[in-house]
Amino acid sequence: MMMASLEYVAKSLSETHALAAALAPCLSAGDAVLLRGDLGAGKTAFVQALADSLGCTDEVTSPTFTLANFYRGTETTVLHVDTYRLSSVAEYRDLGLADYADECVTLVEWGDLVSGEFPCHLRVEIASQPGSEVRTFTLSSECQRWQPVLQELERRITQAVK
């Protein structure tokens, strides 16, 4: 299967929010978005924007120490996971979070560790420029489910820029 991808350059936090707002309506329970990027790249900021766009009203914080947080949105629940402190997939499995995957939109920071647990995930890679608000987002997936989503996102982003 061919990998579909979309690149988006956000020049500000509001443009990061615009990307999240465009993606949010495409997400539903059972979907997994795995985030990758260096420390400080903006993974948590993107998750905050996405959760906000999904109607979550609670404050979204990084679950680096709690490992996982749940946020109730208007249409679905968001499961926000951070695997930074985990050393193996077995540790992730021990958390029992897979039991909730079908009921939630799962957003995983440092998602590479658990990518095999989500065979049909959307990957969001975030690259930051030091000393700048500019972020380059690369959204990609090898799963057919995400092909039309990425095409729709590209259409929405192109229209928003016009």
Side-chain angles (χ1 to χ4, degrees), residues 77-135:
T77 298
V78 171
L79 169 56
H80 180 198
V81 182
D82 187 327
T83 65
Y84 184 76
R85 292 181 44 237
L86 301 181
S87 58
S88 69
V89 173
E91 282 186 303
Y92 172 77
R93 290 180 184 146
D94 288 347
L95 297 173
L97 298 174
D99 296 345
Y100 302 98
D102 291 341
E103 308 164 15
C104 302
V105 170
T106 303
L107 309 175
V108 185
E109 295 189 41
W110 305 99
D112 288 347
L113 178 72
V114 296
S115 62
E117 303 295 290
F118 301 97
C120 188
H121 64 270
L122 177 65
R123 171 173 281 122
V124 176
E125 188 159 353
I126 307 171
S128 60
Q129 297 179 8
S132 168
E133 283 191 13
V134 176
R135 301 287 186 264

Side-chain angles (χ1 to χ4, degrees), residues 1-4 141-147:
M1 164 119 342
M2 192 175 96
M3 182 180 292
S141 183
E142 294 177 8
C143 181
Q144 183 60 40
R145 183 264 184 264
W146 296 104
Q147 312 294 318

Side-chain angles (χ1 to χ4, degrees), residues 4-89:
S5 68
L6 168 68
E7 188 173 283
Y8 175 77
V9 178
K11 296 178 183 75
S12 65
L13 191 55
S14 64
E15 289 186 10
T16 294
H17 281 263
L19 176 61
L23 177 59
C26 303
L27 298 175
S28 56
D31 286 338
V33 179
L34 307 186
L35 296 104
R36 140 198 288 185
D38 293 337
L39 281 171
K43 295 178 294 296
T44 302
F46 185 71
V47 168
Q48 290 168 334
L50 205 46
D52 183 58
S53 296
L54 289 167
C56 300
T57 56
D58 293 329
E59 180 184 0
V60 175
T61 59
S62 176
T64 301
F65 296 102
T66 58
L67 302 178
N69 292 323
F70 289 90
Y71 302 104
R72 174 135 338 262
T74 50
E75 301 295 320
T76 187
T77 298
V78 171
L79 169 56
H80 180 198
V81 182
D82 187 327
T83 65
Y84 184 76
R85 292 181 44 237
L86 301 181
S87 58
S88 69
V89 173

